[in-house]
């Protein structure tokens, strides 16, 4: 019934394109901000290389995957091959180095799940987390950035979805809801599934980029310049896609049996992945396969309580997109 309604209301839905695009535009970081991030990275590189000349710094996460909104913190990965020293020692040494250079709020969190050093640069005002040898994160950042270059609608949809998730309080992994990384993968998978498809499956195409990290082979097609017209047969607009995205997660996704997989560009069965029962803390109540760490379910943070919260939020969003006269306001109302 809802599908029929949508067809009838297509003109209504299309009237929402301008407000959605205006929200998207307002979230894009200014060029000036990018320049400041570069400036901070250069400073950190200089300090780090004095101590470890062969070490390298890489940006990852939203500051480098093109899904970052303005005024975000930056995520940095220190790649260092020195096998003799352990991570905690490196982090503590880094903290010392940064402190002596007048960086502020320097803190080494050596016991965190992902151990990091945090700092704030008083010159640019940017805060930053530095982790060590998280090379898979650097590579999945590249995969996301490459997808974003294929069709502009991915970045638009992901900005709207992330903005919705933050406004509604469902972007908090420590409270059992999903990470930004998981939401972007949901958007990529959703656009791979449209007919005609809006995005291809880069990991199923000819390999033009490959790297092996911790025995995991990461290979995909990265010459995305040649894919710029890939989605052009599909004319769906951003408002239709936002509508369909929430409709999918509210009413159409098979939570009991399905795993979404960007790696294969398809839906896999929980059965095939042996994700049918709870093992330890992994409950697999909503299943999102990591594109490289395929045993890793990004939905594993979700528990019995938070799955309800999430699904109610998807239903609320779908309802608003269907019936609310002013969805661009209602959708993002603080919870
Ligand atoms: N990451 C990962 N596996 C996870 C979560 C995160 O590999 N389970 C890596 C990804 O490279 C991701 C980065 O950590 O891009 C940062 O994750 P997250 O904070 O969820 O995403 P951001 O894109 O930085 O989003 P935000 O704008 O909310 O900071
Ligand atoms: Mg981040």
């Amino acid at each position: 019934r809802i599908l029929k309604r949508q067809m009838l209301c297509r003109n209504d839905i299309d009237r929402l394109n301008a407000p959605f695009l205006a929200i998207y535009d307002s979230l894009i970081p200014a060029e000036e901000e990018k320049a400041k991030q570069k400036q901070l990275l250069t400073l950190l590189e200089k300090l780090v290389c004095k101590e470890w000349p062969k070490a390298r710094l890489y940006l990852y996460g939203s500051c480098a995957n093109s899904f970052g909104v303005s005024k975000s913190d930056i995520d940095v990965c220190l790649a260092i091959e020195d096998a003799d020293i352990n991570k905690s020692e490196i982090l503590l040494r880094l903290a010392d180095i940064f402190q002596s250079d007048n960086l502020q709020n320097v803190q080494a969190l050596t016991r965190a799940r992902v151990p990091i050093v945090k700092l704030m640069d008083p010159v640019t005002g940017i805060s930053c987390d530095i982790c060590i040898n998280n090379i898979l994160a650097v590579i999945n950042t590249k995969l996301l950035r490459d997808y974003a270059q294929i069709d502009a609608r991915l970045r638009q949809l992901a900005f709207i979805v992330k903005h919705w998730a933050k406004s509604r309080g469902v972007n908090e992994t420590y409270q059992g809801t999903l990470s930004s990384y998981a939401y972007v993968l949901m958007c990529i998978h959703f656009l791979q599934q449209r007919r005609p498809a809006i995005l291809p499956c880069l990991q199923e195409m000819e390999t033009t980029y490959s790297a092996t990290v911790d025995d995991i082979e990461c290979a995909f097609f990265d010459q995305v310049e040649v894919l710029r017209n890939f989605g052009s047969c599909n004319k769906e607009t951003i408002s239709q896609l936002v509508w369909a995205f929430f409709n999918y997660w509210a009413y159409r996704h098979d939570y009991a049996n399905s795993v979404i997989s960007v790696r294969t560009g398809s839906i896999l069965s929980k059965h095939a992945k042996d994700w049918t029962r709870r093992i330890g803390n992994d409950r697999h109540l909503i299943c999102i396969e990591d594109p490289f760490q395929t045993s890793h379910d990004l939905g594993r943070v979700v528990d019995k309580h938070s799955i309800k919260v999430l699904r109610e939020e998807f239903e609320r969003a779908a309802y608003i997109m269907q019936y609310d006269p002013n969805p661009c306001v209602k959708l993002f109302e603080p919870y």
Side-chain angles (χ1 to χ4, degrees):
R1 214 175 76 231
I2 281 169
L3 208 82
K4 266 202 196 126
R5 259 176 198 278
Q6 195 252 346
M7 304 230 197
L8 294 175
C9 299
R10 193 164 230 175
N11 291 335
D12 292 347
I13 289 265
D14 278 344
R15 267 191 276 134
L16 297 172
N17 281 325
F20 273 127
L21 289 175
I23 292 171
Y24 166 70
D25 283 335
S26 72
L27 295 168
I28 293 177
E31 279 306 313
E32 174 191 292
E33 223 175 293
K34 293 271 143 202
K36 281 186 177 171
Q37 294 177 353
K38 280 251 166 63
Q39 183 187 336
L40 174 56
L41 189 70
T42 308
L43 167 71
L44 298 178
E45 250 162 4
K46 200 186 81 195
L47 296 174
V48 166
C49 286
K50 255 193 230 161
E51 179 85 13
W52 298 285
K54 282 203 229 148
R56 285 287 164 274
L57 290 183
Y58 297 96
L59 287 176
Y60 74 100
S62 63
C63 59
N65 65 16
S66 74
F67 296 103
V69 301
S70 63
K71 308 201 173 58
S72 316
D73 299 347
I74 66 174
D75 296 307
V76 177
C77 169
L78 169 67
I80 183 166
E81 278 182 26
D82 208 329
D84 296 342
I85 24 180
N86 71 30
K87 275 192 188 176
S88 296
E89 280 174 47
I90 299 176
L91 289 169
L92 292 169
R93 182 75 197 108
L94 276 175
D96 272 348
I97 295 169
F98 295 146
Q99 217 133 30
S100 337
D101 202 72
N102 285 328
L103 288 158
Q104 313 270 292
N105 309 346
V106 179
Q107 245 184 314
L109 307 181
T110 53
R111 286 147 175 254
R113 193 180 54 83
V114 180
I116 52 170
V117 184
K118 292 174 105 42
L119 60 87
M120 201 279 283
D121 171 32
V123 178
T124 57
I126 298 177
S127 295
C128 156
D129 292 349
I130 304 174
C131 66
I132 296 169
N133 288 345
N134 192 0
I135 308 299
L136 277 174
V138 176
I139 297 176
N140 67 36
T141 293
K142 173 177 163 55
L143 180 72
L144 267 46
R145 184 175 60 235
D146 287 343
Y147 270 116
Q149 286 182 46
I150 299 171
D151 195 292
R153 287 170 289 186
L154 170 59
R155 201 168 171 229
Q156 295 165 357
L157 178 65
F159 269 56
I160 302 283
V161 169
K162 276 179 64 175
H163 184 48
W164 162 83
K166 284 179 203 289
S167 311
R168 299 300 301 167
V170 287
N171 179 210
E172 312 282 356
T173 46
Y174 63 91
Q175 288 178 1
T177 55
L178 299 169
S179 66
S180 298
Y181 177 56
Y183 282 113
V184 175
L185 291 172
M186 288 157 80
C187 292
I188 295 173
H189 183 261
F190 172 75
L191 298 182
Q192 286 175 330
Q193 293 289 302
R194 302 310 287 167
R195 290 296 172 264
I198 294 179
L199 290 178
C201 174
L202 295 176
Q203 289 172 272
E204 295 265 284
M205 296 171 65
E206 171 201 354
T207 298
T208 55
Y209 170 88
S210 79
T212 305
V213 184
D214 308 332
D215 291 332
I216 296 174
E217 153 113 38
C218 308
F220 56 95
F221 183 80
D222 75 336
Q223 307 193 343
V224 287
E225 317 78 61
V226 305
L227 296 173
R228 284 276 160 72
N229 285 323
F230 182 90
S232 59
C233 294
N234 182 314
K235 307 289 182 208
E236 287 176 299
T237 60
I238 183 60
S239 54
Q240 288 165 2
L241 292 168
V242 171
W243 178 90
F245 178 87
F246 286 122
N247 195 260
Y248 175 78
W249 286 101
Y251 305 117
R252 299 165 67 98
H253 180 69
D254 180 357
Y255 287 82
N257 301 300
S258 294
V259 176
I260 65 154
S261 163
V262 164
R263 171 180 62 99
T264 60
S266 66
I267 289 186
L268 308 176
S269 76
K270 284 198 198 180
H271 189 74
K273 295 200 64 93
D274 200 17
W275 283 358
T276 49
R277 58 218 141 79
R278 173 174 174 178
I279 298 179
N281 262 339
D282 290 16
R283 295 175 177 83
H284 304 301
L285 299 174
I286 173 172
C287 295
I288 303 158
E289 183 194 58
D290 186 272
F292 300 120
Q293 283 173 293
T294 56
S295 63
H296 192 164
D297 176 6
L298 294 162
R300 70 180 177 183
V301 290
V302 176
D303 60 33
K304 220 168 64 192
H305 169 71
S306 60
I307 188 66
K308 267 189 75 191
V309 173
L310 257 180
R311 293 187 63 171
E312 278 167 19
E313 282 298 332
F314 287 134
E315 283 168 28
R316 173 187 179 274
Y319 183 88
I320 290 170
M321 287 304 294
Q322 188 72 36
Y323 298 112
D324 198 277
N326 207 352
C328 288
V329 174
K330 201 55 177 259
L331 205 53
F332 308 109
E333 246 168 33
Y335 61 106

